[in-house]
Each structure stands twice: as C-alpha cells, then as structure tokens.
Amino acid sequence: RSLDLTPTLIALRERVRGVILAELERTLPRLKNVTEAEQRTLTAMAEAMATKILHRPLTQLKKSREEPDSAVLLSSVRRLFELDPEPAENPEAEPRARAAAHGQGSGEIP
C-alpha cells in the first residue's frame, strides 16, 4: 500500500505547488518595480503556503495507510485532484487538458 501512497503524496504536493507557483508567475509581471529580493520573498511565501495547505491532508493520508478503506481514500484524492494522467481522445483535447490541469480553464465546473 505504501507504494500506492508515495506517488499520490508526491503528485498532490506537485499539483498544489504548481498551481500556486503558476499564479505567482502570472502575477509578478503585473507588479511594478518588484526587486529580485522581493520576488524571492514572494516565491518563499508561495512555497510556504503550499506546505501549510498540504500539511493536514498529507498527514491524514499517511495515517490512513493501515486503514481498510485507504485504497478508496487514495483513489478519491487522485480523482478529486486529477492526479492520474488521462490519455487524450484526440490531439485537440490534450492542450485543453493541460490548461485545465494548470487552472487555466474557463472557470466553469463541468
């Protein structure tokens, strides 16, 4: 079971971290006169936000390792956060899937 858990933990951490850092990268150009030191501070803040947001969910996932329904929980997390790559049905779907994975979709919930 821990073999299933570790990739999920890594994927969840990367998903959340990626969304937060992508938003930071999108926002930085709109800020005027931000120094490199301030950019590093904002990046560190973004990394800290990801860590704090994920602390409790990751801890609970690790604790669930020995519970009988841990596989269901892992599956749910992977589904909720779209952590499993889905093959594109057609070449045009792939860019949309990547954009949605990075929070760049239409903002609508399907």
Side-chain angles (χ1 to χ4, degrees):
R1 283 188 187 174
S2 70
L3 293 177
D4 294 336
L5 178 63
T6 301
T8 300
L9 298 177
I10 292 169
L12 181 57
R13 186 178 298 120
E14 289 303 312
R15 170 67 57 140
V16 171
R17 185 177 174 273
V19 169
I20 290 173
L21 291 176
E23 287 303 313
L24 177 62
E25 289 299 317
R26 244 184 48 172
T27 302
L28 282 174
R30 290 185 263 163
L31 300 175
K32 303 294 182 214
N33 304 317
V34 176
T35 67
E36 284 188 37
E38 290 169 329
Q39 285 183 16
R40 285 191 302 272
T41 299
L42 289 169
T43 300
M45 180 189 70
E47 295 277 359
M49 290 169 60
T51 299
K52 288 180 186 246
I53 289 168
L54 288 170
H55 176 72
R56 191 163 298 216
L58 293 178
T59 300
Q60 291 301 317
L61 282 170
K62 289 174 190 176
K63 284 182 181 178
S64 76
R65 182 179 298 159
E66 301 305 320
E67 295 177 10
D69 62 345
S70 66
V72 173
L73 180 59
L74 281 178
S75 175
S76 296
V77 167
R78 295 193 72 79
R79 182 174 173 209
L80 286 169
F81 289 93
E82 295 180 334
L83 301 179
D84 292 318
E86 294 183 25
E89 291 179 17
N90 63 51
E92 293 176 8
E94 193 172 323
R96 286 194 307 266
R98 272 200 302 271
H102 294 286
Q104 300 169 352
S106 65
E108 296 179 20
I109 298 172

